[in-house]
Amino acid sequence: MAFPRQRLRRLRLQEPLRRMVRETRLSPADFIAPLFVTIGKDRREEIPSMPGQRRLSVDLLVKEAGELKMLGVPAVILFGIPDRKDERGTSGFDPKGIVQRAVRELKDKVPDLLVVTDVCIDEYTTHGHCGIVKDGRILNDETLDCLRAMALTHAQAGADMVAPSDMMDGRVGAIRDELDQQGFPDLPIMAYSAKFASCFYAPFRDAADSSPKFGDRLSYQMDPANAREALREIDADLEEGADIIMVKPALPFLDIIAAARRRTTVPIAAYQVSGEYSMIRAAGRAGWLDEERAMMESLLSIKRAGADLILTYFAKDAARRLG
Ligand code: PBG
């Protein structure tokens, strides 16, 4: 049937009807808020390249988490800014490390909020790479031991879910083994499965002081040109025991989210990364686009593409808008 019998505009003429035929809806329950935690007390450092985001000391982190929970955001993911770094990133798997302390406090003070931890050593290494470095190369299997130790200390601190973001081969299986052997068989793993080597992480690296000091991440993060390979990464992570898989970044990789949705029945997370956030914020501040609408449209697109969970720095603003 075609025009003039078929008129698609009929269903667009009134808001109540538009609402009824709307295919995708956002909810604060879709969001995971990324938070940066730093040492000290009553410390709040603005992040210049991510306007509106801050590094928070644990006491202020607890406040922020409480506000997110009040707004209906069910989960946060933590990134640590440690006070010391070394070649192996040992401050990242110190039971008294910054993330481990933050998890304990959050679970104590905001018990119903889900606390996810990012498992990766780049914020804790002097060289800024996500793996152990030897002679300028990133070693895969040696890195797995660090990741196992880090995931275990997060679990012992009370984390509700661990999220490996390093892109070493075999890390999901290694972490799953470690958790199972150490008494955490019920702790889920959200794997950064299709994580691309993207320029959109730049503001995050500013925030976390985690830029590689030499070279780049192309030997472990994925080539943005590759869609089939993303599915191989997802398949591998699922085989190794991932409970949730992730695509990252989100907006430049909506096709990957959609392909993942067709491929698997497990929940899919998408990470609207720092650069995606900062672009929208910057254009909004310059008056070049309506920031709030850009925020909501981008989040809606990510959900429409097939994501169930969205990691986004807009979690608080979007939840407020939806609430
Ligand atoms: C690695 C990690 C990164 C991000 C999350 N986990 C940075 C990187 O791979 O360089 C980026 C998130 C963002 O840009 O918002 N631990």
Side-chain angles (χ1 to χ4, degrees):
M1 223 201 320
F3 181 80
R5 266 169 203 276
Q6 168 112 245
R7 288 179 183 270
L8 290 164
R9 290 185 55 206
R10 283 182 200 123
L11 300 183
R12 293 179 201 149
L13 294 175
Q14 299 187 58
E15 172 53 20
L17 198 49
R18 287 198 293 271
R19 204 186 320 144
M20 291 179 79
V21 300
R22 190 157 293 146
E23 298 173 30
T24 310
R25 275 192 180 77
L26 285 168
S27 150
D30 301 329
F31 304 142
I32 300 176
L35 296 175
F36 298 100
V37 57
T38 186
I39 49 153
K41 239 192 135 205
D42 196 28
R43 193 156 160 208
R44 174 194 302 273
E45 295 172 2
E46 298 294 329
I47 301 164
S49 54
M50 299 178 73
Q53 300 297 311
R54 297 146 240 104
R55 304 184 197 96
L56 299 172
S57 54
V58 174
D59 52 324
L60 297 185
L61 184 84
V62 166
K63 265 184 70 183
E64 179 71 12
E67 285 170 30
L68 283 159
K69 199 195 137 218
M70 289 280 287
L71 288 164
V73 175
V76 297
I77 181 164
L78 300 182
F79 296 96
I81 324 284
D83 51 358
R84 62 189 166 83
K85 304 192 186 211
D86 61 22
E87 287 282 302
R88 292 176 51 82
T90 49
S91 59
F93 41 97
D94 177 350
K96 295 202 179 80
I98 182 64
V99 163
Q100 291 81 353
R101 269 187 283 148
V103 172
R104 274 194 206 95
E105 275 296 296
L106 284 176
K107 291 315 294 179
D108 186 44
K109 304 269 165 54
V110 198
D112 297 333
L113 185 78
L114 206 74
V115 179
V116 185
T117 56
D118 184 82
V119 176
C120 184
I121 61 174
D122 66 327
E123 290 129 61
Y124 308 93
T125 53
T126 37
H127 45 73
H129 276 288
C130 304
I132 300 292
V133 176
K134 195 166 176 213
D135 304 328
R137 292 162 46 122
I138 317 299
L139 304 182
N140 193 89
D141 300 13
E142 290 74 357
T143 303
L144 300 183
D145 291 333
C146 299
L147 300 171
R148 291 171 82 122
M150 188 182 280
L152 179 62
T153 58
H154 291 173
Q156 287 165 338
D160 296 294
M161 182 151 73
V162 292
S165 68
D166 52 284
M167 289 302 279
M168 297 300 121
D169 287 321
R171 89 271 209 222
V172 172
I175 291 172
R176 185 71 273 159
D177 282 347
E178 182 74 14
L179 294 174
D180 289 353
Q181 284 158 18
Q182 303 290 339
F184 298 97
D186 292 329
L187 197 79
I189 298 175
M190 174 166 72
Y192 287 70
S193 301
K195 176 171 178 177
F196 291 89
S198 168
C199 69
F200 290 101
Y201 307 148
F204 173 99
R205 292 180 190 171
D206 238 20
D209 181 29
S210 63
S211 288
K213 300 296 177 285
F214 69 90
D216 53 45
R217 303 212 201 285
L218 291 168
S219 79
Y220 43 107
Q221 297 182 350
M222 283 188 54
D223 183 340
N226 293 358
R228 292 193 309 267
E229 190 188 350
L231 299 179
R232 291 184 69 196
E233 283 283 3
I234 289 167
D235 288 351
D237 284 358
L238 289 173
E239 225 161 276
E240 291 175 35
D243 299 280
I244 297 174
I245 57 104
M246 193 197 298
V247 175
K248 174 190 178 186
L251 214 53
F253 296 92
L254 290 183
D255 59 324
I256 309 295
I257 299 174
R261 178 70 298 158
R262 290 189 296 272
R263 179 92 163 179
T264 166
T265 53
V266 303
I268 296 172
Y271 199 145
Q272 182 179 49
V273 300
S274 54
E276 300 178 69
Y277 168 86
S278 298
M279 275 197 304
I280 291 174
R281 271 271 133 102
R285 287 184 173 208
W288 295 335
L289 47 72
D290 180 329
E291 184 179 324
E292 194 172 276
R293 289 187 57 197
M295 161 180 86
M296 296 312 282
E297 190 175 318
S298 63
L299 293 168
L300 186 73
S301 307
I302 294 165
K303 186 150 183 201
R304 191 193 62 234
D308 304 289
L309 300 77
I310 305 174
L311 293 87
T312 174
Y313 301 95
F314 285 123
K316 199 173 181 185
D317 292 338
R320 217 181 256 133
R321 165 72 211 274
L322 291 164

